[in-house]
Amino acid sequence: LEEIKTKRQAETLIERSAVTSHQSVGAIERAIRELASQLRAMRIALEDRLVCRIPTSHPVWPWLVRHGAWLLGRFRVKANGSTPYEMVHQRKYR
């Protein structure tokens, strides 16, 4: 971790959390829940549009996961009224 930190040009903060502590991984668990919800919505919309079921073995799933995460990172409004993109780049996504 220290080697990666020294090679990065951006400021990097290293955090270590207890493996079994649910409080320390709460944000990650919440993000996973939000992504799962996003994927359900995308799957239902796609199945409605194609008028068929999409099996879990279908090759579209990796793209759905990646695109769902991208959508949440650009457009999900946080409690402070801004999106994750705005928090990082200090401007709205266009």
Side-chain angles (χ1 to χ4, degrees):
L1 290 175
E2 292 296 333
E3 182 181 341
I4 291 171
K5 182 179 177 179
T6 58
K7 289 182 179 183
R8 286 192 51 158
Q9 293 176 353
E11 185 172 332
T12 303
L13 176 64
I14 296 175
E15 293 182 7
R16 291 183 174 84
S17 60
V19 177
T20 58
S21 172
H22 288 286
Q23 285 182 326
S24 61
V25 294
I28 299 300
E29 289 178 354
R30 194 169 33 261
I32 290 170
R33 193 175 334 122
E34 288 177 6
L35 180 57
S37 178
Q38 179 72 21
L39 289 175
R40 271 191 302 279
M42 292 170 62
R43 177 187 53 92
I44 290 168
L46 185 58
E47 287 177 346
D48 283 350
R49 189 172 178 111
L50 298 177
V51 191
C52 69
R53 298 276 304 156
I54 301 171
T56 55
S57 60
H58 195 279
V60 76
W61 278 105
W63 179 84
L64 277 175
V65 172
R66 188 172 64 242
H67 188 63
W70 182 86
L71 288 172
L72 290 175
R74 296 299 187 279
F75 303 111
R76 178 180 28 113
V77 179
K78 306 280 248 171
N80 64 4
S82 64
T83 64
Y85 184 89
E86 292 171 352
M87 292 166 61
V88 170
H89 298 282
Q90 304 300 313
R91 62 184 172 90
K92 291 194 177 290
Y93 179 78
R94 290 193 279 150

